Amino acid sequence: MNHNPVIAIVIPCYNEEEALPISANTLLALLDRMAAEELISPHSYIMCSNDGSRDATWDVITKLHLRDSRIKGVSLAHNRGHQYALLAGLMEVRDKCDAAISIDADLQDDPEAIIEMVKQFRAGKEIVYGVRSSRRTDTWFKRTTAHAFYDLQKRMGLDTVYDHADYRLMSNRALDLLSEYGESNLFLRGIVPQIGLDTAIVTYQRHERVAGESKYPLAKMLSFSIDGITSFSAKPIRFIFATGVILLFIDIIVAIYVMTSYFTHNTYSGWTSLMISVWFLGSLILIGIGIVGEYVGKIFNEVKNRPRYAIKDKLWD
């Protein structure tokens, strides 16, 4: 690039009144350091996207904005979820920056990786993924389930980046292309790789939260993974079909055995096997209906074409 780029750091916030003051000061100091090194423009800023928080998060953002105008804010009218709050922040800054970097308020993703992301951007990369170098800080259970989720997503056809969350840099051209993806079932980790453009990966060590509690317990992570799979892949439905075909062949074999036993007068009371079969097939049917219902529900949400979020308030200069 022939000029120092304006960088917008986008922070989705939900009940982050404890962590946000710490993370804002840390990121402002980082912006100052990069501007002094002429790596970025001194007009670079932070955009806090408030996801209808129930605590004093918006009040904290307002106070931070009054203290330093480089901290901007946008507040959603109600809680829509992490992905929608992140999208709202990205769409708000896409015409007002050269590139946007998304990072969570807890700063578990190392902010120092932003320096290398910007260098990659200046070298011509338009999407730079922040990827964890290891999961040594996770518990065995969290590490195992996380890897299982990534493997499952890959098998189901999702083009996701392994050990990447939503810590990434996107150029304004990439943001413009992202704005053209209008689905209501939002899974940015699956959408962004589909954009294409020149990409790079920056690795970092994940830290502990600076304050507050995790907003992604196991149940929410599982739901998030299921949403990602059903939003981008039809393989679960194909799996149901394949299972049905396999069971049909098994039923044919069982039918031949039953008929042979009947005509040779070698029949036995089959209450146990009958009950097992009924429960097994009944469970498969219910699972199949549930998976199909998941897709029907997503179609239902898409065809209504409702706004993905509503903005209640903004803080700019």
Side-chain angles (χ1 to χ4, degrees), residues 183-257:
E183 55 253 54
S184 298
N185 301 290
L186 201 59
F187 186 66
L188 292 175
R189 300 179 197 181
I191 293 175
V192 174
Q194 292 186 354
I195 294 175
L197 303 179
D198 291 334
T199 65
I201 288 176
V202 171
T203 58
Y204 65 92
Q205 286 285 350
R206 192 165 169 86
H207 304 310
E208 297 293 330
R209 288 182 60 94
V210 295
E213 298 178 351
S214 173
K215 307 301 186 297
Y216 268 90
L218 177 62
K220 199 168 183 178
M221 285 296 296
L222 179 60
S223 176
F224 188 55
S225 183
I226 292 173
D227 284 342
I229 292 171
T230 53
S231 295
F232 284 88
S233 175
K235 284 190 176 181
I237 290 181
R238 294 171 188 164
F239 176 74
I240 295 173
F241 175 76
T243 303
V245 171
I246 293 171
L247 288 175
L248 175 62
F249 283 110
I250 294 175
D251 288 342
I252 292 174
I253 295 172
V254 171
I256 294 173
Y257 169 75

Side-chain angles (χ1 to χ4, degrees), residues 137-154:
T137 57
D138 289 348
T139 63
W140 175 88
F141 180 77
K142 185 174 182 179
R143 182 168 57 251
T144 302
T145 53
H147 286 165
F149 288 155
Y150 281 114
D151 290 340
L152 178 61
Q153 290 173 357
K154 188 68 69 175

Side-chain angles (χ1 to χ4, degrees), residues 2 4 7-8 13 49 57 62 91 119 146 155 179 187-188 201 211-212 217 231 264 276 278 297 301 316:
N2 54 13
N4 295 333
I7 300 297
C13 308
S49 181
T57 296
T62 302
M91 293 300 99
K119 290 179 179 178
R155 291 176 183 274
S179 69
F187 186 66
L188 292 175
I201 288 176
S231 295
T264 57
I276 291 175
V278 168
N301 287 330
W316 283 95

